[in-house]
């Protein structure tokens, strides 16, 4: 039988007076009965309706419970956001975040163009967060730093662990923390409901159901926290690398859209590289929280699009076309998944985005003829000659104090500026640390007067003109020094990591004739 349901209360009230039209297999609800049934048929139908009544009452109870959970979750998030937005103090350090049982960092309450959200959780083996942040901040311009915020959401409630991750971020990126480019947050323990007795669906294990359910809650918290902070919101993961110009490409692609959209995708994998309008986030989060126990996040997104635009009277092809108007894919992909060990214990994942292509891991420049030399222990084919000629990058095992990289020009030349980059997109942490930039003037007597230019001199005739900071050394050279015979990069302490030199650039802005 097919039941045409009018109102639950009507069905319950008229159970003794139901009219069944067996030819049309419909149950018509009303206040009057056309014909009464007797005997076994009546008992059977009454039993069925009593069962239906119990199911409706149970559904009503479940809906009320789900509504209470949704309200609680939203209240928790809104409480945190309200505390944050109502604060009048400009915080710049490591401090207890009001409303959270953790720590947070920020300095600016001003909205920006792009907010990036990165949830991270404890993994059994390898951790990728710091390398991911290195990749995202690689080649970040000052303009981009002023118009972007990256929020790291440590989705754990163990204070010791969260504090260790927060300190690691703060130690690795002190300037970004101080300026407000990076924020670190964590939820209160009360945010998470009991996840110990979830219904297993789609053949997933109990652990996987719990993992994906908590993940839905993590995304929801992060999205609502980020919503008032910027115009666009980009969802990322903690085990990715990004193309160097991803910021500008995202802004350009969003600006090019001539129709209303809901999601712009910059990766074909899971929930990586998904861009939303911040104004849409409350609706999206409410949908997530209504069904967070039922399905993974990427399925819920697809269902939300279905609800918005698909017509049940149309076929699946029409539905996909309508969804494609709201969900637009950009190519090539700007983000690549690099993590091998999933946050789900025991899960190994080798997901790769085929549309990402190959990253350019060095930057070529037409440098002046020079003799190159280094004391570093070179790894395989990644030699100093190749980076200087723009053919590849230099890669060496961990430098020790006293190691050097030198470039002696065949003909002395005037140098106005210099730029050296260590690390690259695939190995952003392999940088030169505590390394100074030194030059040898062609006129040796100038070395004795190095202090006149505010450059300290070394015992072997070099002037220290700069140093590597966060993997980059750049600056201008006092032109009173005259022509330069050689440039040297000197390592002053042992390094805990390998080192890559991926770019060597001396702008040709001065006539060396």
């Amino acid at each position: 039988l097919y039941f045409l349901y009018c109102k639950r209360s009507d069905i319950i009230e008229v159970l003794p007076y139901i009219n069944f039209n067996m030819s049309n297999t419909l149950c018509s609800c009303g206040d009057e009965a056309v014909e009464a049934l007797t005997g076994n048929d009546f008992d059977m139908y009454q039993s069925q309706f009593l069962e239906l009544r119990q199911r409706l009452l149970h559904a009503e109870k479940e809906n009320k419970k789900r509504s209470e959970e949704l309200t609680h979750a939203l209240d928790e998030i809104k409480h945190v956001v309200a505390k944050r937005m109502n604060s009048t103090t400009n915080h710049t350090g490591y401090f207890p975040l009001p409303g959270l049982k953790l720590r947070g960092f920020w300095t600016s309450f001003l909205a920006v163009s792009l907010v990036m959200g990165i949830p991270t959780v404890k993994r059994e083996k390898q951790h990728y967060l710091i390398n991911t942040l290195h990749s995202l901040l690689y080649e970040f311009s000052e303009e981009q730093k002023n118009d972007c915020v990256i929020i790291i959401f440590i989705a754990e409630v163990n204070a010791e662990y969260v504090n260790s991750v927060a300190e690691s971020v703060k130690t690795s990126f002190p300037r970004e923390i101080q300026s407000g480019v990076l924020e670190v947050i964590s939820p209160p323990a009360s945010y998470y409901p009991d996840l110990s007795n979830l219904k297993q669906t789609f053949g997933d294990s109990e652990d996987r159901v719990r993992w994906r359910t908590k993940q839905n809650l993590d995304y929801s918290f992060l999205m609502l926290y980020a919503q008032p902070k910027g115009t666009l919101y980009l969802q990322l993961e903690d085990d990715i690398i990004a193309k160097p110009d991803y910021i500008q490409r995202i802004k350009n692609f969003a600006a090019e859209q001539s129709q209303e959209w809901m999601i712009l995708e910059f990766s074909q994998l899971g929930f990586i590289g998904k861009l939303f309008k911040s104004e849409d986030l409350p609706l999206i989060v409410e949908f997530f929280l209504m069904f967070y126990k039922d399905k993974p996040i990427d399925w819920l997104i697809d269902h939300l699009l279905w609800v918005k635009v698909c017509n049940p009277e149309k076929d699946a092809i029409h539905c996909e076309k309508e969804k494609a108007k709201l969900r637009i894919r950009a190519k090539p992909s700007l983000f690549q998944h690099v993590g091998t060990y999933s946050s789900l214990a025991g899960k190994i994942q080798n997901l790769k985005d085929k549309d990402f292509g190959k990253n350019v891991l060095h930057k070529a420049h037409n440098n002046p003829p020079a003799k190159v030399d280094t004391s570093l222990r070179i790894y395989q084919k990644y030699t100093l000659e190749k980076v200087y000629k723009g053919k590849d990058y230099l890669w060496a095992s961990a430098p020790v104090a006293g190691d050097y990289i030198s470039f002696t020009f065949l003909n002395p030349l005037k140098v106005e500026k210099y730029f050296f980059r260590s690390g690259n997109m695939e190995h952003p942490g392999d940088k030169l640390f505590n390394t100074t930039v030194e030059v040898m003037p062609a006129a040796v007597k100038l070395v004795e007067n190095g202090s006149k230019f505010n450059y300290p001199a070394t015992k072997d005739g070099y002037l220290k003109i700069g140093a590597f900071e966060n993997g980059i050394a750049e600056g201008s050279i006092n032109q009173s020094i005259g022509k330069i015979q050689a440039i040297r990069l000197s390592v002053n302490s042992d390094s805990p990591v390998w080192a890559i030199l991926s770019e060597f650039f001396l702008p040709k802005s001065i006539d060396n004739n």
Side-chain angles (χ1 to χ4, degrees), residues 341-381:
Y341 299 98
S342 170
S343 56
L344 175 60
K347 180 184 177 184
I348 302 297
Q349 51 186 15
N350 293 306
L351 300 174
K352 295 297 177 185
D353 190 332
K354 295 180 180 179
D355 290 334
F356 183 77
K358 190 174 181 179
N359 253 334
V360 177
L361 302 178
H362 70 285
K363 201 164 187 177
H365 296 286
N366 185 19
N367 294 310
K371 176 183 177 183
V372 299
D373 184 33
T374 182
S375 63
L376 295 174
R377 289 150 295 287
I378 303 300
Y379 176 66
Q380 294 184 357
K381 61 177 183 177

Side-chain angles (χ1 to χ4, degrees), residues 36-43:
L37 296 176
T38 59
N40 293 334
D41 286 340
F42 179 83
D43 292 339

Side-chain angles (χ1 to χ4, degrees), residues 54 65 72 79 126 138 153 157 199 218 237 282 298 303 358 362 380 405 419 421 434 461 480 491 513:
Q54 291 301 317
K65 180 181 177 182
H72 173 74
H79 172 71
Q126 193 168 354
Y138 190 74
F153 176 65
V157 295
K199 182 180 179 181
D218 294 340
E237 299 292 346
D298 47 345
H303 291 328
K358 190 174 181 179
H362 70 285
Q380 294 184 357
I405 300 172
F419 183 91
R421 185 188 301 278
N434 195 14
S480 299
V491 179
N513 293 328

Side-chain angles (χ1 to χ4, degrees), residues 5-71:
Y5 173 53
C6 303
K7 243 189 354 180
R8 184 185 65 80
S9 57
D10 291 340
I11 290 182
I12 295 171
E13 290 172 3
V14 300
L15 278 175
Y17 313 104
I18 296 298
N19 168 41
F20 287 90
N21 184 331
M22 299 302 293
S23 62
N24 295 323
T25 62
L26 283 177
C27 163
S28 58
C29 304
D31 296 328
E32 297 179 356
V34 178
E35 181 180 349
L37 296 176
T38 59
N40 293 334
D41 286 340
F42 179 83
D43 292 339
M44 178 183 68
Y45 295 133
Q46 186 179 45
S47 174
Q48 289 177 351
F49 271 91
L50 286 173
E51 181 183 353
L52 175 61
R53 177 179 184 274
Q54 291 301 317
R55 291 172 62 186
L56 288 169
L57 290 173
H58 177 72
E60 185 176 49
K61 182 179 178 181
E62 286 297 308
N63 285 340
K64 182 178 179 182
K65 180 181 177 182
R66 184 65 62 88
S67 178
E68 290 173 351
E69 290 179 355
L70 174 60
T71 302

Side-chain angles (χ1 to χ4, degrees), residues 413-482:
L413 68 157
K414 280 192 174 183
V415 179
E416 182 184 30
K417 298 179 180 179
Y418 62 90
F419 183 91
F420 308 121
R421 185 188 301 278
S422 60
N424 61 27
M425 294 300 296
E426 290 189 358
H427 304 279
D430 287 0
K431 297 178 180 180
L432 288 169
F433 298 96
N434 195 14
T435 300
T436 53
V437 179
E438 304 163 353
V439 297
M440 176 181 285
V444 180
K445 65 179 181 179
L446 288 177
V447 176
E448 301 174 0
N449 298 322
S451 58
K452 182 176 68 175
F453 310 117
N454 293 320
Y455 296 144
T458 66
K459 294 180 179 179
D460 57 351
Y462 283 82
L463 298 178
K464 296 181 180 180
I465 63 170
F468 278 79
E469 294 186 20
N470 198 25
I472 293 175
E474 61 180 327
S476 302
I477 300 177
N478 191 318
Q479 292 307 295
S480 299
I481 292 178

Side-chain angles (χ1 to χ4, degrees), residues 208-221:
R208 186 176 181 86
V209 172
R210 186 183 303 111
W211 170 76
R212 78 182 195 212
T213 299
K214 178 182 176 296
Q215 192 177 61
N216 289 342
L217 292 172
D218 294 340
Y219 286 126
S220 299
F221 189 103

